Amino acid sequence: MADKREIERKFEFPASHGAPPQLPDLTAVPGVAAVTDGAVTELDAVYYDTHDLRLDADSVTLRRRTGGADAGWHLKLLVSAGVRDEIRAPLSDDVPPELAALVRSRVREGTLVPVVRLRSSRAVRHLLAEDGAQLVEISVDTVRAEGLRPGCSATSWTEIEAELADGVQDDTHLDHIGALLAESGIKPATSPSKVARALRETAPARADADADAHAGRTEDVPSEAAEPAEGTAGARVLAHLRAQRDDLVALDPAVRRELPDAVHRMRVTTRRLRSAFTSYAKVLDRTVTDPLGDELKWLARELGAVRDGDVLAQRLDAHIRALPTTLVLGPVTARLRVHRVAQHAEARRTTLAALDSPRQLALLGALDRLLADPPLLPGAHRPAARVLRQAVRKDHRRLARRLDTALALAPGPERDRALHAARKAAKRARYSAQAATPVLGKPAKKLAKRLKAVQNTLGDHQDSVVARAALRTLAARAHAAGETAFTWGLLYGREEARAAARERELPQVWARARRARLHGG
C-alpha cells in the first residue's frame, strides 16, 4: 500500500446557460509565476460502499479507478476539512484485503458493493513558483455520474479541484485561489467529494432507498429513542458517549496503519467509555453497561501490549543514551533493540487479531444499540449540572480514599500496587471531570488539569515499577549469555530512585488537586 496526504479545495462553476465554463487567469494568484497545461485524461471510477452507505456517512471513499497515472484502488480517510489521507493499492478485480481491513470498523458484517460510477474528463493545470517548483495542481473535471443501486439515475456537472503539490504545506495558496475564483463567480463546492454529490443527485426515490438500505443490513439497529431533553444529564452523557464511540470507530484504521499515538488514543477512548458507564451510574443502567465495560476492558488489554511495550522501550533507551559511555558495558543497546523488536511484533499480532475478531465487531454493535436505545434511569432527566457535579465529586472522593490508603503504607510492593490502583482512580476522576466540563465550565476544567498532574505522577511511578521488572529480565538474559549485567543493575537503581522521588512529590501534587473543588449543590 502507498499513502498520500491530500490537501485540497473543491469549487463549482455557476450555471453556465450553455456557455463553456472558463477559469480566470491563474497567474494572478500570489506566488505563481507560470501556469502549464496538461493533457486531458479520461478517468473511470467505480465507488464502493455498503447498501446503507456507511462509508459515505463518515466521509470515507473507496474506489476502483482506471485511467490516469494512479490507476488502482484508492481509499480516502478524512483527517480534517479539506485534508484527507489516500491509501492506494494496485488494480485488481476485488476490493484489496488490506483496504477492506481499514474500513472494517465501519462496514462490519456488511458487504461492500458498487454504488456509483463516475466517468470524468480531467484537464490539468500546474501552478509553478518562480524557481519552477510546482505549488498547486488545478483540475477541471467534467463528471458524468451513474448510480448503480436499484432505482438510481444519472447526472453530470463540472467542478474544479485545487490540490497542493506533494511536499507543499502552505495552504494559503488555496486561499488565494479561492479568492480569485470567487471574483469570477466560482464558489466552493457544496459537497465534500464527487461521490457524495453523485450519491445525493442520483439517489432513488425515498421509499426505494429505505427498502434498499434495509436489505443491505446484516442486523437491525434500533432507531434513535426519544432523546432526553436539552440540559439534562442524559443529554450530556449520551453526547459524550457518542463522541467516544465515533472516536473508537475512526481510530481503528489509524491503529492498523501504525500512525503515531493511535494505539494510545484508542486505549484512552475505551477507558473514557468505561469511566462514563461507571461514573454516571445514575444516568445509565449498569446492568446494561457493565457487560459493555467488561468488553472495553478486554479491548484495552489487547491494545496495551503494543503501547506498554513501546513506552517501556523508549524509556529504557532514553536512560541508556543519558549514561556516560564508560558506564555502558556490553551490548546493552543491541540487547534492548532485540527485546523491543520481538515484543512489538508479538504485541502487534495480538492487537490486529483483536481488531479483526468477531468479539470486536460485537462490541461496536452493542455500543450502537446502547446509544440508539439507551437504558436511561431517572437521573438522566435531571439537570445536568447537578448530576454531573455529584458524579465528579464521588470519583474525587474515591481517589482520595485510595491515595490515603497507599500513602499510609510502607514503601514496597504492596504500596506499589496501591499506588497503581490510585492511578486508575485518578484517570476515572479526570475523565469524569472532562466529560462534565461543557456543563460545569472552568472549575471542572481546572480540576481535570490538576487530576492529570496526579495521574502523571502516579503513571511515572508505575512505569518505573514495570521498567524494573523488565530490567531484571534483561539482566538475567545478559548474565546467562555471559555478558556483564552492570549497566542493567545501574539502570535498576536509577529507576528505584526515580520512583522514590515520585512518591515524595505525590502529597504536594495531590494537595493541589484536592483544593480544586466544584462549587454548587
Side-chain angles (χ1 to χ4, degrees):
M1 291 191 300
D3 289 16
K4 179 180 184 293
R5 175 150 293 185
E6 291 183 341
I7 304 176
E8 65 180 13
R9 309 274 174 86
K10 295 180 180 293
F11 304 89
E12 296 176 355
F13 283 105
S16 60
H17 304 292
Q22 297 292 326
L23 286 175
D25 178 9
L26 296 172
T27 58
V29 175
V32 173
V35 177
T36 63
D37 291 345
V40 174
T41 303
E42 299 299 324
L43 305 174
D44 191 343
V46 175
Y47 287 79
Y48 285 69
D49 205 333
T50 59
H51 289 280
D52 50 356
L53 304 180
R54 299 176 195 177
L55 298 186
D56 179 63
D58 280 354
S59 298
V60 174
T61 63
L62 174 63
R63 73 186 177 203
R64 180 187 186 276
R65 189 165 78 181
T66 57
D70 61 347
W73 287 89
H74 305 156
L75 172 65
K76 297 190 179 186
L77 301 169
L78 185 67
V79 176
S80 59
V83 181
R84 294 187 296 179
D85 280 347
E86 181 181 279
I87 302 97
R88 299 176 180 176
L91 200 61
S92 61
D93 291 338
D94 299 319
V95 178
E98 60 270 30
L99 297 189
L102 293 177
V103 297
R104 191 168 187 267
S105 64
R106 293 176 167 98
V107 173
R108 304 187 196 170
E109 298 92 346
T111 302
L112 289 168
V113 296
V115 293
V116 71
R117 182 182 185 185
L118 301 184
R119 283 170 287 185
S120 306
S121 294
R122 168 166 291 181
V124 174
R125 294 170 175 81
H126 293 145
L127 278 57
L128 308 180
E130 189 70 38
D131 61 359
Q134 184 178 328
L135 299 173
V136 179
E137 179 178 281
I138 299 284
S139 302
V140 178
D141 294 340
T142 301
V143 183
R144 302 172 301 284
E146 176 190 358
L148 300 179
R149 295 176 295 155
C152 285
S153 58
T155 188
S156 62
W157 70 89
T158 300
E159 70 174 39
I160 303 165
E161 288 185 3
E163 181 180 346
L164 292 183
D166 292 347
V168 178
Q169 299 295 322
D170 184 4
D171 63 359
T172 58
H173 296 304
L174 301 182
D175 294 336
H176 293 315
I177 290 169
L180 179 65
L181 295 179
E183 292 176 2
S184 299
I186 301 171
K187 304 297 184 183
T190 55
S191 292
S193 65
K194 289 184 178 68
V195 66
R197 177 170 180 173
L199 287 170
R200 185 181 74 245
E201 295 188 4
T202 67
R206 188 69 257 157
D208 292 341
D210 290 342
D212 184 50
H214 183 74
R217 293 180 186 272
T218 58
E219 63 172 328
D220 287 332
V221 176
S223 59
E224 293 288 335
E227 288 289 308
E230 186 69 25
T232 61
R236 177 60 221 152
V237 170
L238 289 177
H240 174 70
L241 292 176
R242 287 194 182 99
Q244 303 311 310
R245 184 272 313 272
D246 292 347
D247 284 348
L248 196 64
V249 171
L251 283 166
D252 179 289
V255 170
R256 294 175 186 272
R257 295 167 63 202
E258 294 194 87
L259 297 186
D261 221 28
V263 170
H264 173 62
R265 289 168 58 204
M266 192 174 194
R267 198 177 180 194
V268 167
T269 299
T270 67
R271 290 170 174 162
R272 290 186 189 279
L273 283 163
R274 288 180 59 214
S275 172
F277 290 156
T278 307
S279 298
Y280 300 116
K282 291 185 177 180
V283 175
L284 296 173
D285 186 351
R286 287 195 61 173
T287 63
V288 177
T289 61
D290 278 356
L292 270 176
D294 291 340
E295 291 304 285
L296 289 163
K297 185 176 182 179
W298 159 78
L299 178 58
R301 184 172 62 248
E302 300 301 284
L303 293 168
V306 169
R307 169 67 180 174
D308 292 344
D310 287 349
V311 169
L312 173 63
Q314 291 167 10
R315 182 184 183 96
L316 296 184
D317 183 62
H319 289 344
I320 292 170
R321 286 188 284 104
L323 288 174
T325 56
T326 54
L327 298 181
V328 181
L329 305 182
V332 173
T333 302
R335 179 164 291 280
L336 178 60
R337 185 182 302 115
V338 169
H339 176 79
R340 179 179 188 176
V341 169
Q343 186 277 336
H344 181 85
E346 179 58 32
R348 174 81 176 154
R349 285 191 290 270
T350 298
T351 294
L352 292 179
L355 295 182
D356 286 332
S357 68
R359 189 172 182 177
Q360 170 68 353
L361 292 186
L363 169 58
L364 294 175
L367 286 171
D368 285 348
R369 290 190 293 274
L370 176 100
L371 292 168
D373 188 16
L376 300 177
L377 296 176
H381 305 289
R382 294 172 185 154
R386 181 178 180 181
V387 175
L388 271 59
R389 186 180 293 111
Q390 289 173 347
V392 174
R393 286 175 172 171
K394 182 179 179 180
D395 287 340
H396 195 269
R397 290 193 297 269
R398 178 172 175 268
L399 170 60
R401 289 193 299 271
R402 291 200 176 183
L403 277 174
D404 289 345
T405 298
L407 292 173
L409 297 171
E414 187 179 358
R415 187 185 223 198
D416 291 343
R417 288 190 291 270
L419 288 171
H420 185 42
R423 179 194 182 193
K424 294 178 181 178
K427 288 181 181 179
R428 178 167 144 186
R430 176 191 165 204
Y431 297 153
S432 179
Q434 288 176 330
T437 295
V439 175
L440 302 181
K442 289 184 179 179
K445 183 178 181 180
K446 180 179 179 181
L447 176 59
K449 182 178 180 180
R450 298 283 178 86
L451 289 170
K452 183 178 181 180
V454 174
Q455 178 188 325
N456 288 344
T457 301
L458 291 167
D460 193 38
H461 182 277
Q462 176 61 18
D463 287 348
S464 177
V465 172
V466 174
R468 278 177 275 159
L471 286 166
R472 282 195 297 271
T473 299
L474 289 164
R477 290 176 180 172
H479 179 74
E483 303 163 7
T484 176
F486 171 83
T487 302
W488 303 115
L490 177 62
L491 293 175
Y492 187 98
R494 292 194 171 195
E495 283 290 1
E496 276 191 322
R498 188 179 183 107
R502 298 293 86 77
E503 291 184 30
R504 290 192 298 272
E505 294 169 6
L506 182 58
Q508 290 75 31
V509 176
W510 168 232
R512 288 193 290 272
R514 204 161 197 165
R515 289 194 297 268
R517 298 190 177 277
L518 301 179
H519 304 292

